[in-house]
Amino acid sequence: MREKVILITGAAGEMGQALVQELSHDGANNRILTLDLNYMPDEFKGMSTHIIGDILDERLFARLVTQYDFDVIFHLAALLSTRAEFSPELAHRVNVDGTLALLKMAAEQSQARGRPVQFIFPSSIAAYGVPDLETKARDLRVREWDWNMPSTMYGCNKLYCEQLGSYFSRHYMQLAVNRPVMIDFRSLRFPGLISAFTLPTGGTTDYGPEMIHAAAKGEPYACFVREDSCLPFMAMPDAVRSLLQLANAPRATLTRDVYNVTSFSITAGEIRERVLAAFPGAEIDYDIDSRRQGIVDSWPAGLNDKAARRDWGWEPVYDIDRAFDEYLIPNIRQRYQN
Ligand code: AKB
């Protein structure tokens, strides 16, 4: 008898760690299988069965499906936007081929057991490509179907995989196997995420979290985008809550496969001001990286998340003041004092 589990890929990453923690403490006695190229930090011992492995390793998946029955898959593994611009082919392999391999595995499992497999896929504001700064300043709450013209490899990968997921949930079939495929695909387009406990690697929104963490450590920081650069952001606990809320929403209430979610929009200069107010001695200046600036300029300053609010009651707990004053600043301060 195969063991029923929730599979989380990319579990050692920022969002993975926060999600594992939440799922292992939610009282539901979840059995969690985590997969990542890296080890989970020591404090995660006992929260999941952890496998060190590559989502591109077909033999690994062939072994896992004989042992486990995946009820829900949170597919978080990805190369983020800046990293993907440096290695676009690798990004395509990980972000697209990896997602395809997992969708195929989920499809086979759903056929074998005659029940749906839920597939939760975090997408990103990178799926958008606003044409110029005038449009960005004017169109402050882009809807899911606006400006789907990404200018990065990561954005192209995310946008395509959203569509791949929808395809698998509606049209994919393996003619050789005469049983229906049942994939319940659900995706969220996230803004920049900021965690008090981990730092992202390889993203373009990293200047937000990096600025706060550097100030708390007493290290100087050079922000790589202009002070007027505006993007939507969200505190990590809200991101995890939105993933779980979408996963738990009754299928019948969903009118889309892909939902925008957001919390607050803020410029780099405003983040700097908030950080300086909390850490008056912080040294934060600007050293603009033109490629990363170009990416940020192509992402919207805000998202319209009306559909998520209407369909499954999405509402962030952390607005801008609570995110900084109650979550980020106190936790980050304490982390480095310790
Ligand atoms: C990145 O900067 O690549 C990510 C994202 C916006 O998806 N944080």
Side-chain angles (χ1 to χ4, degrees):
M1 180 78 167
R2 287 175 308 157
E3 189 184 359
K4 256 192 186 184
V5 290
I6 297 173
L7 172 65
I8 305 177
T9 71
E14 277 219 290
M15 190 187 280
Q17 290 189 26
L19 179 63
V20 172
Q21 220 144 26
E22 186 61 35
L23 282 173
S24 62
H25 291 133
D26 73 356
N29 225 353
N30 297 310
R31 286 285 298 124
I32 307 170
L33 183 72
T34 47
L35 176 66
D36 202 291
L37 289 174
N38 299 308
Y39 287 96
M40 295 298 285
D42 284 348
E43 65 264 30
F44 285 79
K45 273 221 167 72
M47 292 188 196
S48 69
T49 302
H50 187 56
I51 310 240
I52 304 274
D54 189 338
I55 52 165
L56 297 172
D57 181 349
E58 285 177 17
R59 277 184 309 179
L60 172 65
F61 281 142
R63 184 162 63 75
L64 291 180
V65 292
T66 62
Q67 241 178 306
Y68 298 102
D69 184 358
F70 301 118
D71 243 359
V72 184
I73 299 175
F74 290 92
H75 175 38
L76 313 183
L79 247 62
L80 296 187
S81 52
T82 293
R83 172 91 202 280
E85 287 310 289
F86 282 103
S87 315
E89 285 165 18
L90 175 65
H92 195 278
R93 279 205 297 281
V94 174
N95 296 351
V96 176
D97 298 348
T99 304
L100 179 62
L102 266 157
L103 282 166
K104 274 168 58 185
M105 185 194 74
E108 278 161 29
Q109 278 226 330
S110 78
Q111 283 178 311
R113 67 187 205 173
R115 277 192 291 128
V117 173
Q118 197 181 60
F119 197 100
I120 310 289
F121 180 67
S123 185
S124 160
I125 45 166
Y128 295 104
V130 287
D132 47 52
L133 287 176
E134 291 71 52
T135 311
K136 175 164 171 155
R138 202 179 48 232
D139 199 350
L140 292 176
R141 296 180 70 72
V142 299
R143 297 161 303 179
E144 285 85 352
W145 55 90
D146 292 327
W147 308 118
N148 286 179
M149 298 182 301
S151 63
T152 60
M153 176 52 102
Y154 173 72
C156 293
N157 297 164
K158 286 292 186 189
L159 186 60
Y160 173 61
C161 286
E162 291 173 2
Q163 291 168 5
L164 204 55
S166 297
Y167 165 75
F168 264 77
S169 67
R170 294 212 173 78
H171 309 294
Y172 177 79
M173 49 184 167
Q174 273 185 302
L175 293 176
V177 186
N178 195 15
R179 287 213 201 119
V181 168
M182 286 175 278
I183 303 234
D184 179 1
F185 178 81
R186 305 176 181 202
S187 177
L188 288 161
R189 281 201 192 142
F190 280 114
L193 302 179
I194 315 187
S195 166
F197 305 104
T198 47
L199 269 166
T201 41
T204 314
T205 55
D206 295 4
Y207 62 87
E210 282 174 359
M211 213 185 285
I212 318 173
H213 283 257
K217 282 191 271 186
E219 292 174 0
Y221 184 72
C223 176
F224 54 79
V225 293
R226 288 187 318 269
E227 62 176 328
D228 67 331
S229 307
C230 189
L231 285 181
F233 279 93
M234 185 186 280
M236 189 58 84
D238 272 338
V240 169
R241 243 171 19 84
S242 67
L243 275 175
L244 295 175
Q245 234 181 305
L246 178 61
N248 291 328
R251 180 77 236 179
T253 61
L254 305 183
T255 57
R256 318 182 42 80
D257 291 344
V258 180
Y259 287 91
N260 279 346
V261 280
T262 191
S263 180
F264 53 87
S265 291
I266 187 168
T267 65
E270 287 163 345
I271 300 179
R272 181 174 179 273
E273 276 164 32
R274 283 184 181 261
V275 173
L276 286 176
F279 303 98
E283 287 173 56
I284 306 169
D285 57 17
Y286 296 92
D287 182 10
I288 313 302
D289 175 324
S290 58
R291 283 184 73 180
R292 294 178 107 181
Q293 181 70 60
I295 295 175
V296 168
D297 288 346
S298 79
W299 289 350
L303 297 175
N304 179 325
D305 59 3
K306 254 191 189 159
R309 288 172 185 263
R310 180 196 61 217
D311 289 359
W312 42 276
W314 160 245
E315 199 180 343
V317 167
Y318 292 100
D319 62 10
I320 194 163
D321 290 328
R322 287 195 71 187
F324 278 85
D325 303 343
E326 292 178 29
Y327 170 67
L328 293 168
I329 301 293
N331 284 309
I332 296 179
R333 192 193 297 282
Q334 189 184 10
R335 176 174 175 199
Y336 295 109
Q337 267 166 7
N338 291 345

